Amino acid sequence: MATASQTTATTPASAPDTDNASVVYEDGCYRLVEPTCSNCGTTAVSKNGSDTRHPKGRCPEHPEPTGSVGVQQYLCTNSACDTTTITPSLPFVEDGYQYIEQIRKDARSMYLHTEATLDGIQDYCVDRYHVKPATSTIDGWIQESLPCDSDSIEWRELQEDDEATSVAVVENPLPTYSGVYELDEFYMTIDGERKYRVTVWDHLMQAPVAEGIADRRTKDAIKQVVEPVLRTKPVLACLTDGWRGAAALVTDELGGLHYWCMFHKICNLWTALGEDLSELADEDDLTQIEQIGTLRVGTEVRQLLSEQAIPDADRRYTAARRRFEAVLDGIEHVPEQMQNQLQIIDDQFEKYAAHLREEWLPGTTNGVERYYSLTQPNRVNHRFRSTERALTFLQSQMTLRTVKHGFVSRETSLARARELFPDITEEAVELLFTDRKQRYLAWRDRPRG
C-alpha cells in the first residue's frame, strides 16, 4: 500500500473552480468524484493505494466523527507530467492544517463577538471538539484570519513639551457621513503601558468613523486624531465630554457646532452637590431646610438638562432657559461649589442645551459609550500586545459594528461582513442586524408615493 511518504511528488487535488475538489466517502475512505490530475488536467489516472490521515477535532460532517480518516491516492499516468501521486483534500480540513476548519472558524468568531480569552477558546475546543490546541496555535489562527493591515494605519509624531508623542489612526470607510458626531476618549493598557484611545462616532449613521491611539492624553494628541479625520467630511455638530481644545477645533477649524455632553455636566454638578452637603452638614453650616432647598435646585437642573427635544424645539429650549433663570434667582443659600457649577452652565448654556434646540442632536455621548462597552475587553490582554494589534482588533470591531448597527444598505452590510467572514450568506448577515437597523432598512426600502 502506497503512502504519502513513499511518493516523490504528492499533490492535494483541491484545484479551485474545478470538480477535482468534490469528494465522496465510500468504504471508509474519501475518494475523488472525477479523478483528474490537478497539474496537467488529464483524466488518465489510476488508483494507487490509500493514505491514513489523523485530523484533530471531532467533526460532525465526517461519517465517523472521531479517529483516523482514509484517503484514496491516485497515480497520474501522463509521462510528461511532474506529478506522480494525487491526494484528495479532506472537505473539512484546509490543506496545510491538522485541525478541522470549523475549529478555526469558531475561534475567529469567538474573538470577534465575545471577550473570550485564549484559554476560554481553548476550553471551548475541548468541550465542543474534544481536542486541546495550544493557546499559541489559537492565537496564530486568529492573526491569520485578521492580519494587521499596516498600510491602513496612519502614524503621526508630535513633539510636545520636549517629549515625543506617537499617534496612530485607522478610519472606517462609510458610504456617507451625517456630520453629527460624538467624540470621546478612554484609557487602555497596551503591553503594560497606559495609552489613550480616541473615537469619532457618527451619531446619525450609528457607526464609528475612526479610532486613534495616543501615547499621552493631551490636547494636541487628541486633535491629531480628530482633525485629519473630519477635515474631509461634513461637520455640522460635535458632542464632546469637555476635553480641552475641543471647542476651538470644532468651531474655529472645522466650522461646526461644538457642545458638551449634559450627562458629564450633571455628574460634575451632583459630585459638587454631594461633597458640599456632606462637608457643610458635618460642620452644621447648613440647616435642614437649606439642604432640602439645595437638593431641589440640583434635581431641577439635572431634570432640565436631561430632557430631550420635541418637534417644537424652540419652545422647549425657551422654556428650559426660563426655568434655569428661575433656579439662578434662588441660589443664595446654595453652597459655593455648587454655585460655581451653576455659573459655568449659565455662561455656556448654549453648549449644554443645544440638544434642546435641535431634536436631531444627541444630548449625551451614549452612542460612543455603548460602543466602548462592546469593544473594550479589559480582561483580554493578549489582544493588546502592541498598538498595531490593538488597532487591528479595533478595525475588525468597527467593521462588525457597522454591519450590526450602522445605518448602511444591505449591500454595503454584506460586503463589509465578508471582510470578516468570507463565506457568510446574505441571510446570515441580516440575522446580525439589530432591531433598530431592521426597522431603518424596512423604512428605507419602502416604496414611495
Side-chain angles (χ1 to χ4, degrees):
M1 178 181 296
T3 65
S5 60
Q6 295 172 314
T7 60
T8 57
T10 301
T11 304
S14 57
D17 302 322
T18 71
D19 292 334
N20 292 353
S22 300
V23 296
V24 294
Y25 186 73
E26 296 177 345
D27 301 326
C29 188
Y30 280 94
R31 309 176 191 277
L32 289 172
V33 175
E34 297 180 3
T36 305
C37 178
S38 57
N39 186 32
C40 67
T42 182
T43 57
V45 298
S46 60
K47 292 182 178 180
N48 189 38
S50 63
D51 187 16
T52 300
R53 304 259 182 95
H54 303 276
K56 295 183 177 181
R58 185 178 183 276
C59 181
E61 289 79 12
H62 178 47
E64 300 173 17
T66 60
S68 59
V69 177
V71 179
Q72 178 66 59
Q73 290 189 321
Y74 300 88
L75 182 66
C76 177
T77 59
N78 180 3
S79 59
C81 181
D82 294 333
T83 300
T84 55
T85 302
I86 305 160
T87 305
S89 297
L90 293 174
F92 48 85
V93 180
E94 186 175 341
D95 291 339
Y97 291 89
Q98 293 180 309
Y99 288 89
I100 65 173
E101 176 67 11
Q102 192 58 48
I103 293 180
R104 295 167 55 230
K105 287 183 177 180
D106 284 359
R108 178 180 59 192
S109 292
M110 293 180 71
Y111 178 84
L112 288 171
H113 292 295
T114 75
E115 294 186 8
T117 62
L118 293 176
D119 287 338
I121 297 175
Q122 183 185 62
D123 292 343
Y124 170 82
C125 293
V126 172
D127 178 53
R128 179 70 176 82
Y129 296 104
H130 302 178
V131 289
K132 188 177 182 179
T135 54
S136 58
T137 298
I138 296 173
D139 192 41
W141 296 339
I142 292 169
Q143 298 314 306
E144 286 175 6
S145 62
L146 299 170
C148 177
D149 183 6
S150 57
D151 292 337
S152 67
I153 300 176
E154 185 173 348
W155 291 91
R156 301 162 190 157
E157 296 293 334
L158 307 174
Q159 197 68 28
E160 301 179 295
D161 304 324
D162 297 326
E163 185 175 350
T165 299
S166 176
V167 176
V169 182
V170 290
E171 293 192 44
N172 181 35
L174 296 175
T176 188
Y177 300 89
S178 72
V180 181
Y181 308 105
E182 300 172 30
L183 310 180
D184 208 350
E185 76 277 350
F186 197 94
Y187 86 88
M188 62 194 304
T189 301
I190 296 179
D191 196 25
E193 296 184 3
R194 188 182 181 93
K195 306 281 187 177
Y196 286 90
R197 171 186 176 187
V198 183
T199 304
V200 181
W201 174 267
D202 192 312
H203 173 73
L204 297 182
M205 291 296 291
Q206 285 293 293
V209 175
E211 291 273 17
I213 294 178
D215 289 343
R216 296 192 294 158
R217 185 183 183 271
T218 67
K219 178 182 68 174
D220 289 338
I222 295 177
K223 179 180 177 180
Q224 279 299 312
V225 174
V226 177
E227 193 274 339
V229 167
L230 294 184
R231 174 65 66 186
T232 58
K233 299 174 178 61
V235 179
L236 301 177
C238 288
L239 173 66
T240 74
D241 62 358
W243 54 267
R244 190 165 54 94
L249 170 62
V250 175
T251 303
D252 300 339
E253 299 190 36
L254 299 176
L257 167 68
H258 170 257
Y259 67 111
W260 290 321
C261 173
M262 60 85 181
F263 175 77
H264 287 82
K265 184 73 248 174
I266 290 172
C267 289
N268 293 340
L269 178 69
W270 220 247
T271 298
L273 173 62
E275 291 175 354
D276 275 345
L277 288 180
S278 176
E279 179 180 341
L280 294 175
D282 289 343
E283 298 176 358
D284 296 326
D285 288 341
L286 206 64
T287 67
Q288 187 172 8
I289 292 178
E290 288 173 332
Q291 290 183 47
I292 293 173
T294 301
L295 284 170
R296 184 179 295 114
V297 168
T299 302
E300 170 71 0
V301 175
R302 180 175 65 176
Q303 182 178 352
L304 184 152
L305 292 180
S306 300
E307 291 180 350
Q308 296 298 316
I310 57 175
D312 191 359
D314 283 339
R315 179 165 57 87
R316 172 59 62 87
Y317 175 86
T318 302
R321 180 64 204 178
R322 197 162 47 240
R323 285 169 55 192
F324 187 72
E325 289 174 351
V327 168
L328 294 179
D329 289 340
I331 62 171
E332 63 273 10
H333 299 300
V334 169
E336 182 179 357
Q337 187 175 351
M338 187 175 178
Q339 288 189 32
N340 293 337
Q341 292 291 333
L342 293 174
Q343 187 61 52
I344 291 173
I345 296 175
D346 186 35
D347 293 342
Q348 302 286 344
F349 192 78
E350 287 282 344
K351 298 254 184 204
Y352 292 111
H355 66 288
L356 296 178
R357 187 184 291 279
E358 301 291 348
E359 61 180 308
W360 45 272
L361 291 180
T364 70
T365 55
N366 283 350
V368 69
E369 294 288 355
R370 283 193 297 268
Y371 173 65
Y372 275 164
S373 71
L374 296 170
T375 60
Q376 190 69 34
N378 294 319
R379 297 187 300 107
V380 192
N381 293 326
H382 73 273
R383 301 189 183 192
F384 304 129
R385 291 175 181 165
S386 67
T387 297
E388 293 87 344
R389 183 153 180 179
L391 286 174
T392 298
F393 170 74
L394 293 177
Q395 261 187 323
S396 68
Q397 288 301 307
M398 287 196 296
T399 298
L400 180 60
R401 300 305 154 187
T402 300
V403 172
K404 289 173 66 69
H405 306 274
F407 287 174
V408 298
S409 68
R410 287 182 170 83
E411 294 76 16
T412 299
S413 298
L414 177 61
R416 296 299 301 275
R418 284 180 174 166
E419 294 174 15
L420 301 176
F421 314 103
D423 301 327
I424 197 168
T425 64
E426 185 174 356
E427 292 76 12
V429 171
E430 294 207 11
L431 292 176
L432 290 173
F433 297 165
T434 61
D435 291 343
R436 187 179 183 188
K437 179 169 180 173
Q438 292 279 15
R439 291 193 298 271
Y440 162 74
L441 290 174
W443 172 84
R444 178 182 180 274
D445 298 337
R446 186 174 61 193
R448 298 292 184 260

